Amino acid sequence: MTHSAAKPRRGRPPKSPRADQDTRAALIRSGTEVLTEQGFTASGIDGILKRVGVPKGSFYYYFSSKDAFGLAILEHYGVYFANKLDRHLLNTQLPPLRRIDAFVADAKTGMARHDFRRGCLVGNLGQEVGSLPDAYRHRLQETLDDWQRRLAGCLEEAQTAGELSRDADCSLLAEAFWIGWEGAVMRSRLARSVRPMEVFLECYLQGLPR
């Protein structure tokens, strides 16, 4: 996907605001699927538009530029992933550290379901950040910071429950998790196996101060 300057919106408007929102959301979902598989640079707009059935000439009705489209996809992915984290990390039916296990189990299932073709959008774009506009660097960092805060909250609950040392730096441990996690996901795609994710989780949990 190449960059371009913002262009005025054009094309026939949808018949209703709801249709407008539905088409825009469908484009973002399709773009998310493509970018998690191919990354930003290798992804083409044409294929995404065909999947949704939107004429190329109407693209700029929904997004001011290709870069704006990519940022909208990244925002959508950040919200989607944050909701997934909350589903696991805030699950009071499990002890705090077991919630991390549950998140990883869910991620492994998702990777296998898509035959290891899809990775983490944040990780994919992070590897391309040198060729992306500065706005992407800031959004990627904000997204990772948000994920780290959510995990740090779970680790703080583990401290309260006696699963983790009172001296543990939960913010630092959460940051370390996401640094290692992105590498584990990349290695799993390469190996077409969940083993790298399992190895990472086992080593991470073993290394936590108790």
Side-chain angles (χ1 to χ4, degrees):
M1 187 184 294
T2 57
H3 310 312
S4 66
K7 298 184 180 181
R9 292 191 171 191
R10 60 177 183 267
R12 179 176 298 177
K15 295 181 180 179
S16 70
R18 178 58 183 270
D20 182 359
Q21 294 171 5
D22 289 348
T23 302
R24 188 179 188 276
L27 284 168
I28 290 174
R29 285 194 301 271
S30 179
T32 302
E33 293 171 1
V34 172
L35 264 64
T36 52
E37 290 187 19
Q38 302 176 15
F40 190 92
T41 304
S43 299
I45 287 292
D46 289 350
I48 295 172
L49 294 175
K50 287 179 180 178
R51 290 162 64 123
V52 181
V54 174
K56 188 172 184 179
S58 298
F59 174 78
Y60 293 104
Y61 175 82
Y62 299 102
F63 302 97
S64 62
S65 68
K66 293 179 181 179
D67 287 339
F69 181 47
L71 285 172
I73 291 171
L74 181 53
E75 180 179 5
H76 164 78
Y77 185 85
V79 172
Y80 155 79
F81 203 87
N83 288 336
K84 175 181 285 193
L85 282 174
D86 285 348
R87 188 166 67 249
H88 294 295
L89 300 183
L90 300 179
N91 179 12
T92 58
Q93 301 301 310
L94 293 175
L97 294 185
R98 285 285 307 281
R99 301 173 200 172
I100 301 175
D101 276 308
F103 161 71
V104 173
D106 186 10
K108 291 191 300 181
T109 298
M111 290 282 286
R113 182 170 63 249
H114 296 292
D115 198 27
F116 299 95
R117 295 190 308 273
R118 297 182 187 176
C120 172
L121 179 63
V122 170
N124 289 356
L125 295 182
Q127 294 178 63
E128 302 179 71
V129 72
S131 62
L132 298 176
D134 284 343
Y136 281 77
R137 183 187 301 276
H138 298 314
R139 181 61 60 81
L140 287 166
Q141 190 60 60
E142 288 173 355
T143 302
L144 285 169
D145 288 345
D146 176 63
W147 295 355
Q148 287 170 199
R149 283 192 293 271
R150 293 169 194 273
L151 181 58
C154 181
L155 293 172
E156 288 167 2
E157 287 191 52
Q159 280 184 316
T160 301
E163 295 184 300
L164 196 61
S165 168
R166 288 284 185 176
D167 297 327
D169 185 333
C170 293
S171 294
L172 183 65
L173 291 172
E175 182 179 4
F177 178 90
W178 291 112
I179 291 172
W181 177 253
E182 294 299 341
V185 170
M186 181 181 67
R187 185 70 176 267
S188 284
R189 292 186 71 191
L190 177 66
R192 299 175 68 85
S193 166
V194 297
R195 176 168 170 73
M197 300 161 79
E198 294 172 342
V199 170
F200 165 72
L201 178 64
E202 182 177 351
C203 291
Y204 179 80
L205 293 177
Q206 285 182 359
L208 290 176
R210 307 296 177 121

